Amino acid sequence: KSSGGISTPPNQRQQGSKMAKRIGDILIDLGYVDQDQLELALTESKKTGIMLGDVLLRLDWVTQEQLQMCLAVQSGAKLLDTDAIKVDPGLISQVPQEFITSHGIMPLQKRNNTILAATNNPFDVVAKDKLARITGCRVETYIASKDWLASAIELYYKTALAIDVDIDRITRATVTDDEFEENQIVLLGDRLIEKGLVLGASDIHVVPDVKLSRIYYRIDGVLQQKFLFPIRFHKSLLTRFKIMADMDISNPNIPHDGRIKYSGEIGEIDIRVSTFPTHLGETAVMRLLIYSKVVGDLRRLGLEESDFDLFLSHIKRPYGLIVATGPTGSGKTTTLYSALMTVNSPNINVMTVEDPIEYIIPTIRQTAVNPKAGLSFGNALRSAMRQDPDIILVGEIRDTETADLALRASMTGHLVFSTLHTNDAASAINRLLDLGVSKGILASSLSLVIAQRLVRKICTNCCDHAEPDERQIALFDQHGIVPPERLVVPVGCDSCYHAGYRGRTGIYEVIRVDREIQGLIFTGALHSTIEEAAVNAGTSLMLKQALKKAAAGITSFEEVYRVVADA
């Protein structure tokens, strides 16, 4: 991947513009599908008239990213990294929306006299030439999916411009008519959700104050206040969200949980809603579950090459327990779902037991626990074992029963994924032992532990540089890293909403349970002894991994210290 949100496909130099292979052949060459899958998809394509790529997507055999990679190999073009690219609203305002919609090409940025544009068809030279005439600039196209283009066009040409205007108009109005107020509260709720999507937020917080209602958005892991409303809007807004989430609105004095299937101007999204009573009134937190943004190629997670190879080899094994550990919000769900999608195929039975189901995945049998109805993690996992599964995802190991069942499932020919809440990888082993599981069973069943955090990536549009100070140099030296001559420093601009950061990447610590670790588990060794053995076997601790990313200019030293220094 190079700067500016562009990825280069494999073998691009060799293939170039002379590439004549069909998409199906490229899919096989890159290992995305096998011959049987391709033939089945081709048959379905001929029967239905649906494009081959769309058939494969519907069957969940490939991802949008993989199809784009194949198109890039075929055309010799480059891929657009939609997580990293910054769209210039001033540029797109120069091009009519009708042209962009009809031609499937969207201008993104201007560099000198060149327009960078996204397209789902790199072979459409007519659209490229027309855009060049409209803008008076040379046009360089990059490949993006149809879904991303459609969402981006809607977002930047319509919704983004209307959201702030509507919110300001509603909250400044003097409301006297009850019906008008109800209609405006409905619109206000929708606009606050859509604002979260525009900002790329993971959560929306609606918090009461003495005379105000405060709206926060968690962007790249950090809460940022975006709106202040008169307090008279708060109760109505909370009621609106609770109705959308099918919650009980009659008792605001106890916590409630619900789920919204939001469908608005910018598309559909699942939202998990939680309310909590405070002395100033109810507060609400809404988690925006954006599957396409979260679950993707394993390589996007940020694993170092050696850890990536180790992780990939273990998730392709037929049995064993793989545990992802870290605090809430550290990306454990993303890691395990991405692993699931990497190994999922029509030839295996994948089942999940979750609380709640985070992302709905076609072809995977997912179950949400329901303690009130007697369906605990243990009961659900025990029943799932009778469904002839190949792979089981257990949302979290919380008690001895679940831990014991997960370990025994991994011993009987099943691959099991699960999570724990511990600070590092070695602590996960001690945590499982604290739950009372057999040392022998744990030593023989646990195959891999991956601990993680998320750090914000520096905004390349506005960053500055500074020489490292003595403290920073000492920390680099302590971990065997050559200190860089200059470190990146966050600044802040419109592209990153003046945060200095844009997007996040993972920091990982991976322990392979080899014979030495197995022996230490069996003897009940201390955390420090297990960690030392893992480091001697090649494990790189999280702080060292984070410092490497700071040295490479991916994140700042301050961000490393904020997130990982205590790991």
Side-chain angles (χ1 to χ4, degrees), residues 19 21 32 70 125 197 379 391 538:
M19 166 57 76
K21 277 192 175 182
Y32 295 153
C70 293
V125 294
L197 293 173
N379 292 339
I391 299 175

Side-chain angles (χ1 to χ4, degrees), residues 514 516-517 520 528-538:
D514 56 15
E516 183 177 2
I517 300 292
L520 293 173
S528 57
T529 305
I530 294 173
E531 184 173 85
E532 182 180 358
V535 171
N536 291 337

